[in-house]
Amino acid sequence: MRSAVLARILACVIAMCGGVSAFAAAPTFSGVNPHGVQRGTEATLRLTGTNLEDAEEVLLYDTGMEVLALQHPEKDDRKGREFDLRVRIADDCPIGTQRMRIRTRTGITEVQNLYVGPLPIVEEVENNGDFAAPQAISQGVTVHGRVDREDVDYYVVEAKKSQRLTAEVFAMRLGYSGGSTYFDPYVAIIDANRFELAASDDTALVWNDAVASIVVPEDGRYIVQIRDASYLGDGRAYYLLSIGQFPRPLGTIPAGGKPGETLTVTMLGDVAGPMTREVTLPTGPIDNKRFGLQVQDDHGVSPSNQPFRISDLDNTVEVEPNNSRETATPSATMGAYNGVIASPGDIDFFKFPVQKDVTYDVQVYARRIRSPLDAVVAVYRADNGGGLGSNDDRIGPDPQMDFKAPEDGECVVMVRDHLNNGGEHYTYRIEITTKSPSVSAQPIEFARYVQPNIEIPQGAGSGVVVNVTRNNFGGPVNFRCDNLPAGVRIECPENWRGDGQIPLIFYADATAPVGGHHCDVVTYLADANQPDLKIEGPLSQDMLMIRANNNDRVWEERITRMPLIVTEQLPFRCWIETPKIPIVRGGSYNLVVKCEKQAGWDEDIEVRLLHNPNGVNASGSAKIVKGQTETVIPMNAAGNAAAQTSMIAVRCIATVGNGRRECCTPFVPFTVEEEYVTFEFAQGAVNQGQAVPYVVTVKKRKDFEGEAEVKLVGLPANASAEPLKLTKETPELIFQVKAAADTPTGMNKNVFCQVLVPESGELIAHNLGTGVLRVDPPPPMPKEPAPMPETPAAPVAQAAPPARPLSRLEQLRLEQAERAKAEGGGE
């Protein structure tokens, strides 16, 4: 309560002063040092970045660690670029990464990872790049080091015969890449004679990181080498290299279990042989992308957990032989089927019950549980072997498929490796379920590779557009959050809720305290026509951590609890002038955006539509320039734009202090309608240097008052036509098209009309077309006829009213007659 009151007082002081915050905006978080800590200890971390003068807290995403103190440096030359963070890591903190962000009064940073492991951390000591002079360490430690370009680091340990010796590196999984490339570690265990006993580049269990293990052949000194696989490195290639006798299995059977269940698992792939463990699985919400079993024996704890799935399915474990449809391992219930492709060419079958006309979902978890298996799956009828479907890669390297059971009875599912590889740790888990509805949502990137943050200025909004995926259901969705920061609300306009991309705005009251936390934003079905159907899922975000040279997304962190923060108020306020008239299909509209600026602040404000209505495009380059308080965003509707009213908002971005800050205007209604009139163009032709009437037939769709102005545009160079007036009673328009002597000849197919229809004191712009106009050269001059006797001059006749233009066929006949007359010398 006290902090909230202080925050309100500070906001009021800033508002009364009428000035801009002295603190920097757009904070960045570039690194944490050291990159790893041991659980059960306290540590001081150095956090670096930019614009961190007003940093107030570090938001931790995961459990098991707490912040004790945040200390800004006393020296001015380090202000805004680094500070110290004191943390305590619990004894039972999960092994792996702790994700964190820095929150300032004006923004929030990107995510950085801190590794938490079971072993003491020791620092690399340079120069350890010579095989003959490696850095001596004891077993059972994690070395914190760095690889530079063409750098190789060596460590030496004493080991006894028959001991297990493992070197495991945690590097790429740090998600730490701010240089020119990312670190792809290579690890080797070498004896004193420089013979390589084990080596690894990429081990499936640890993604692009590496694990090398041996059973020590003789007492002696053994060298562990670590480098980049391509001898790259740029000064930011940090690693945590664990060396010791700890166990290092590479797979488990079964590979999953039920929440709260106690079961026996066999761990495979360790150089010392299989291990059997009894484990009790947790209850409550589980992130299956990160959950794993802690692996431990008398020699220590593995520095990475063993991936393991939690689901409500019954387990079936393969019983060999099961390499044919006839010998398939049977299961009395549909569920999860676990096994291992134990050797090259191995193939496994399971038999399970099905019901007629029920659609089933088949998913193989192999690479997703960090198995090296590149699985292929197929489903057959158990009675005659008829195929019901197959798949190779659908979810990354893992397969997924649907099939409908043709009748009550049994089916078999087959799994094998795509290249017929195999091994003792090529484990898999097949989960078969009935198709059920689900929903997921993620914010889209406004700029490629730039993750949107929800930073809500006091008294303003923060807008995002989320991509909603509906699986096995249809209908509108909405969003809710039960733990929003104080003074914050979510708005999702009703007209967008049935779309695949939906704009959301998070608004903060003017008195909302500066601060925030991770929030559970839920996407849920909100359909009055389906009141009994409950479908919901989190609004999540895949934070891009490492991008390769060809822009591949090498490493991402899935965030299912969104950080929502309230920031200090901005020195400007923007809003949309609510449109009084609609935009019509094929038409255009200038959306007016206005602002107020605090005294002493005057910068350009970029304005961009948060989300375009269906079929409407908006300029992305509009701005309110210095010295001005409004601008327009040109908008154009396609000819097939959806005729409806949509709620629109505008993102407003400006430089405040040292960085860029953003807000979003409130939603306003924006209507797209059908054209008030439609035009049908006659095909026309004109000779250079002449004029021709050009007819446009008018079809009215909607009454309007007054006169509309119509311009014929798209004419060739140096051709013109005077504008005409149009009322709701006008049946047709006749333009007098004049072609100059130098108007280019040829066919012009892009002639159309710009129509400005008056309504509510404004003009509704229509672009109607298209017509065709051909420009021809003038006909040849006729031959000089014989002189004729003079005749008295005839009286001047009164000018006749302009005749209705000839039809195209009549024009062609007349032109042909004139040519014949010219060629025949007037005969």
Side-chain angles (χ1 to χ4, degrees):
M1 178 65 72
R2 182 180 178 186
S3 62
V5 172
L6 290 174
R8 290 190 182 97
I9 293 173
L10 179 60
C12 292
V13 169
I14 294 172
M16 287 187 295
C17 292
V20 181
S21 170
F23 294 125
T28 67
F29 186 8
S30 57
V32 53
N33 198 17
H35 295 80
V37 293
Q38 183 184 15
R39 65 181 180 178
T41 65
E42 293 186 7
T44 298
L45 310 172
R46 174 61 54 83
L47 277 55
T48 57
T50 60
N51 296 340
L52 300 176
E53 296 96 325
D54 56 340
E56 290 193 330
E57 66 176 321
V58 173
L59 296 181
L60 302 179
Y61 185 84
D62 302 287
T63 61
M65 189 168 78
E66 63 174 316
V67 173
L68 300 178
L70 185 155
Q71 181 66 49
H72 282 281
E74 295 181 1
K75 294 182 179 180
D76 290 342
D77 60 349
R78 282 172 20 199
K79 274 189 176 180
R81 292 186 287 115
E82 60 184 48
F83 60 84
D84 290 336
L85 185 73
R86 187 72 180 170
V87 296
R88 177 186 294 125
I89 303 94
D91 294 338
D92 60 351
C93 180
I95 293 172
T97 53
Q98 289 278 326
R99 292 164 284 186
M100 60 180 72
R101 299 173 185 246
I102 302 170
R103 182 190 66 77
T104 73
R105 293 190 63 81
T106 52
I108 191 170
T109 69
E110 55 272 82
V111 171
Q112 291 291 351
N113 284 333
L114 174 72
Y115 170 72
V116 174
L119 303 177
I121 307 293
V122 299
E123 291 293 330
E124 174 193 9
V125 177
E126 293 287 4
N127 186 6
N128 62 341
D130 185 352
F131 181 85
Q135 179 179 339
I137 60 172
S138 61
Q139 290 199 49
V141 299
T142 296
V143 183
H144 177 232
R146 189 184 77 188
V147 168
D148 297 323
R149 182 170 291 274
E150 299 184 0
D151 189 12
V152 180
D153 291 343
Y154 294 99
Y155 301 92
V156 61
V157 295
E158 296 284 344
K160 300 292 185 181
K161 182 178 180 178
S162 300
Q163 286 182 347
R164 177 203 293 122
L165 180 61
T166 298
E168 177 180 330
V169 63
F170 202 106
M172 191 273 291
R173 290 172 288 168
L174 284 172
Y176 191 67
S177 178
S180 59
T181 186
Y182 73 97
F183 180 30
D184 182 11
Y186 174 93
V187 173
I189 300 176
I190 308 170
D191 66 15
N193 297 319
R194 211 158 189 163
F195 184 78
E196 195 174 82
L197 302 176
S200 174
D201 178 3
D202 301 329
T203 303
L205 175 73
V206 292
W207 300 80
N208 289 68
D209 289 336
V211 174
S213 292
I214 64 169
V215 174
V216 176
E218 300 290 343
D219 292 359
R221 287 160 51 92
Y222 291 85
I223 310 295
V224 176
Q225 177 201 80
I226 181 170
R227 60 175 173 83
D228 183 86
S230 302
Y231 291 95
L232 300 175
D234 56 10
R236 294 173 60 88
Y238 291 95
Y239 61 82
L240 291 137
L241 176 63
S242 298
I243 302 173
Q245 301 180 51
F246 49 80
R248 184 62 283 164
L250 302 175
T252 61
I253 296 292
K258 296 180 179 180
E261 179 182 21
T262 298
L263 73 165
T264 300
V265 300
T266 301
M267 298 184 175
L268 307 171
D270 190 286
V271 292
M275 299 179 291
T276 300
R277 296 286 186 273
E278 186 176 85
V279 299
T280 299
L281 301 178
T283 58
I286 295 295
D287 182 357
N288 266 315
K289 287 183 175 290
R290 289 176 64 91
F291 178 74
L293 302 177
Q294 179 174 296
V295 184
Q296 184 173 4
D297 67 4
D298 295 338
H299 302 290
V301 179
S302 296
S304 297
N305 287 337
Q306 195 71 35
F308 200 80
R309 278 190 57 75
I310 306 293
S311 70
D312 292 320
L313 302 176
D314 293 328
N315 269 334
T316 298
V317 177
E318 69 164 321
V319 177
E320 293 283 5
N322 67 333
N323 59 350
S324 68
R325 180 168 52 88
E326 293 74 19
T327 60
T329 298
S331 174
T333 60
M334 180 185 63
Y337 309 95
N338 304 267
V340 56
I341 302 299
S343 60
D346 189 13
I347 183 171
D348 289 344
F349 286 83
F350 296 86
K351 185 186 298 183
F352 60 96
V354 295
Q355 293 180 321
K356 182 178 180 180
D357 294 334
V358 174
T359 300
Y360 295 91
D361 174 69
V362 181
Q363 292 201 38
V364 178
Y365 290 85
R367 199 59 56 82
R368 285 178 286 173
I369 57 171
R370 307 318 308 158
S371 167
L373 178 67
D374 182 5
V376 176
V377 70
V379 176
Y380 307 93
R381 293 176 59 137
D383 52 1
N384 59 18
L388 299 176
S390 63
N391 185 251
D392 180 7
D393 302 331
R394 181 163 291 168
I395 307 175
D398 285 347
Q400 182 275 331
M401 57 164 286
D402 303 338
F403 76 95
K404 180 180 286 189
E407 59 184 25
D408 291 349
E410 292 181 317
C411 288
V412 293
V413 60
M414 178 278 297
V415 64
R416 63 175 178 84
D417 185 82
H418 177 70
L419 298 177
N420 292 319
N421 292 323
E424 62 173 336
H425 57 287
Y426 277 60
T427 55
Y428 61 84
R429 177 178 171 88
I430 309 171
E431 295 188 0
I432 302 180
T433 59
T434 55
K435 295 289 288 186
S436 58
S438 63
V439 64
S440 60
Q442 285 198 323
I444 65 172
E445 297 173 346
F446 293 125
R448 196 176 186 189
Y449 308 125
V450 178
Q451 307 294 308
N453 288 329
I454 303 176
E455 302 169 333
I456 319 165
Q458 291 171 316
S462 176
V464 294
V465 178
V466 299
N467 194 45
V468 177
T469 301
R470 299 169 177 82
N471 298 306
N472 307 309
F473 81 97
V477 300
N478 203 352
F479 300 83
R480 70 169 187 270
C481 180
D482 296 331
N483 60 338
L484 286 171
V488 173
R489 68 186 189 280
I490 306 175
E491 186 172 343
C492 174
E494 186 173 356
N495 70 283
W496 289 109
R497 297 177 187 175
D499 286 16
Q501 290 189 342
I502 301 176
L504 295 181
I505 299 182
F506 296 80
Y507 292 105
D509 296 339
T511 56
V514 172
H517 51 259
H518 290 100
C519 298
D520 300 298
V521 182
V522 177
T523 312
Y524 66 96
L525 176 65
D527 189 356
N529 297 321
Q530 305 178 77
D532 299 327
L533 189 58
K534 182 179 180 181
I535 307 169
E536 60 182 41
L539 175 64
S540 62
Q541 190 171 20
D542 288 332
M543 303 298 298
L544 178 60
M545 307 292 288
I546 300 177
R547 178 159 51 100
N549 294 335
N550 59 357
N551 288 329
D552 288 342
R553 292 175 178 261
V554 174
W555 187 256
E556 294 178 318
E557 291 284 351
R558 170 63 60 87
I559 302 296
T560 58
R561 293 179 292 115
M562 301 294 292
L564 270 61
I565 69 161
V566 177
T567 63
E568 288 182 349
Q569 68 177 30
L570 293 170
F572 61 90
R573 183 177 70 90
C574 294
W575 66 94
I576 299 172
E577 190 174 82
T578 302
K580 299 178 183 178
I581 58 174
I583 188 174
V584 295
R585 288 173 171 170
S588 60
Y589 183 79
N590 286 331
L591 187 72
V592 178
V593 182
K594 296 184 176 183
C595 76
E596 290 180 352
K597 300 178 180 179
Q598 285 185 6
W601 186 90
D602 187 13
E603 299 287 342
D604 291 350
I605 303 174
E606 299 173 17
V607 290
R608 302 168 187 170
L609 215 64
L610 175 62
H611 192 51
N612 293 343
N614 294 328
V616 177
N617 291 318
S619 171
S621 59
K623 64 174 62 175
I624 303 174
V625 299
K626 292 181 180 180
Q628 301 294 321
T629 58
E630 68 177 65
T631 189
V632 297
I633 301 178
M635 304 176 69
N636 296 283
N640 61 350
Q644 61 184 22
T645 297
S646 303
M647 301 299 289
I648 62 170
V650 167
R651 299 168 55 219
C652 306
I653 309 156
T655 298
V656 179
N658 295 3
R660 309 268 283 171
R661 292 189 64 189
E662 177 176 335
C663 67
C664 196
T665 69
F667 284 113
V668 298
F670 184 81
T671 301
V672 178
E673 290 188 3
E674 291 187 347
E675 305 93 326
Y676 282 35
V677 293
T678 59
F679 287 174
E680 181 179 335
F681 291 75
Q683 190 172 8
V686 64
N687 291 333
Q688 290 175 315
Q690 296 184 4
V692 68
Y694 191 71
V695 180
V696 177
T697 303
V698 179
K699 181 179 179 182
K700 183 186 67 176
R701 283 184 169 171
K702 181 179 178 180
D703 283 341
F704 61 91
E705 299 300 325
E707 291 184 330
E709 183 176 289
V710 186
K711 294 181 180 179
L712 192 64
V713 295
L715 295 172
N718 302 323
S720 62
E722 291 295 323
L724 299 177
K725 297 295 184 180
L726 171 71
T727 70
K728 61 183 179 182
E729 307 297 339
T730 304
E732 67 178 13
L733 300 167
I734 303 176
F735 291 93
Q736 293 297 317
V737 177
K738 299 177 182 179
D742 58 349
T743 295
T745 61
M747 189 71 74
N748 298 273
K749 299 182 178 181
N750 297 313
V751 179
F752 66 99
C753 285
Q754 288 183 341
V755 184
L756 298 178
V757 178
E759 184 171 308
S760 301
E762 298 188 28
L763 298 174
I764 302 175
H766 293 61
N767 293 313
L768 305 175
T770 57
V772 175
L773 177 68
R774 195 184 75 232
V775 179
D776 295 325
M781 295 295 293
K783 295 179 180 179
E784 190 74 25
M788 298 291 293
E790 294 186 3
T791 57
V796 178
Q798 293 294 322
R804 192 186 186 284
L806 301 177
S807 70
R808 182 62 186 145
L809 181 58
E810 291 169 334
Q811 290 180 16
L812 293 172
R813 287 173 176 167
L814 180 60
E815 291 172 3
Q816 181 60 33
E818 290 176 347
R819 289 192 187 93
K821 182 178 179 181
E823 293 170 357
E827 293 293 332

